[in-house]
Amino acid sequence: RGRWEEPLEVLRDGGFGGSAFGSRRGECLLLANLSSLESSRGRLAIAIALGEEAAAAHDETADPLLAAVLWRNLGLLEADSGDHARASEHLLRALDLHGAQRDDLGCSRVWTDLAELALLTGSLHDARSACLKAWAAAEDAADRRQIAIVSGWIAVIEHLDGDERGAAQRLAETRRSLRELAGPRVCGTFLCIEGALAAERDERDEAADRLAEAETMLGPLHDRTASGTL
């Protein structure tokens, strides 16, 4: 932890004149931010350990939506590490917390994560089911950005299901929507997906164009992450 040990200890001792709840919240937020920083630097094992500490430090009854975010973040890190069973366990815990608070947008995001996890584990049926639930929750939340993201993952499922033309059309619509609604990381991710699927259709020029666009968007982010400035 280095230079972060002292502020963590102050928070744990109830410093900064805060209440016990405020100190615990500050501790878990600092741990969560450290986890994100370590993940961006490629130190996944450290990021997961910090994420576990953050989730354990938080009182779910005091702020269930923050708890949901902490468990979701931990699940995503575990998915990245290949620990799919624990990722699923913690994502489902986050989903329960979002659902109990009637947080449709939060539910949609976690259902989308579960769809991606199902694709990683080769379960197209589970991925499709999770995407449909993510879509319904995004519609209930009336969140255009999330609707576009879910639509992009539905396109991936359509491609894997054999509807390559329909998937390509849906991904093009997703790209246009996300350019208006999302930042470079999300846009770049779907450009990579669109390029990879175009390559599978042997549309080499289309694949090259999309991947070049992705590099333009994601390259600067990668450089900043590598240098530790995020």
Side-chain angles (χ1 to χ4, degrees):
R1 307 253 183 80
R3 62 198 176 99
W4 297 107
E5 279 292 356
E6 185 175 348
L8 274 171
E9 290 305 318
V10 171
L11 283 165
R12 286 168 176 161
D13 292 340
F16 301 136
S19 64
F21 167 66
S23 297
R24 290 186 67 185
R25 179 183 174 86
E27 177 186 348
C28 79
L29 288 173
L30 179 54
L31 287 165
N33 284 325
L34 285 171
S35 174
S36 177
L37 180 63
E38 293 297 343
S39 174
S40 74
R41 290 172 171 172
R43 296 195 279 257
L44 201 52
I46 297 173
I48 289 172
L50 288 164
E52 289 172 340
E53 282 191 70
H58 184 62
D59 180 2
E60 288 187 2
T61 60
D63 190 345
L65 288 180
L66 176 56
V69 170
L70 295 173
W71 288 116
R72 180 190 178 216
N73 288 346
L74 178 58
L76 293 175
L77 290 170
E78 289 164 337
D80 286 344
S81 75
D83 191 346
H84 298 149
R86 285 182 65 80
S88 178
E89 174 190 342
H90 291 140
L91 288 172
L92 287 170
R93 188 166 182 174
L95 183 65
D96 286 344
L97 288 163
H98 281 299
Q101 298 300 306
R102 303 183 185 277
D103 177 15
D104 292 322
L105 180 56
C107 286
S108 179
R109 287 171 174 160
V110 179
W111 277 121
T112 305
D113 299 334
L114 289 165
E116 293 182 55
L117 187 62
L119 288 172
L120 284 173
T121 56
S123 178
L124 195 58
H125 172 78
D126 288 347
R128 185 184 299 106
S129 175
C131 261
L132 290 175
K133 291 172 182 175
W135 179 276
E139 289 276 2
D140 288 342
D143 190 286
R144 293 172 59 216
R145 178 182 181 275
Q146 181 63 17
I147 290 168
I149 289 171
V150 177
S151 182
W153 286 109
I154 290 173
V156 173
I157 293 168
E158 288 174 339
H159 178 93
L160 294 173
D161 229 3
D163 185 7
E164 294 185 355
R165 287 291 130 204
Q169 181 178 349
R170 184 185 287 272
L171 272 174
E173 293 169 357
T174 296
R175 171 171 24 99
R176 289 190 288 271
S177 295
L178 289 178
R179 278 178 177 159
E180 174 191 350
L181 301 167
R185 193 179 301 278
V186 171
C187 290
T189 296
F190 278 100
L191 283 165
C192 286
I193 291 170
E194 195 175 0
L197 298 189
E200 286 193 13
R201 298 192 305 270
D202 203 28
E203 296 178 3
R204 298 181 183 180
D205 290 343
E206 175 74 8
D209 287 346
R210 298 290 82 79
L211 292 174
E213 286 185 75
E215 175 62 23
T216 299
M217 289 193 173
L218 296 176
L221 294 177
H222 172 76
D223 292 342
R224 289 163 58 201
T225 300
S227 64
T229 57
L230 280 180

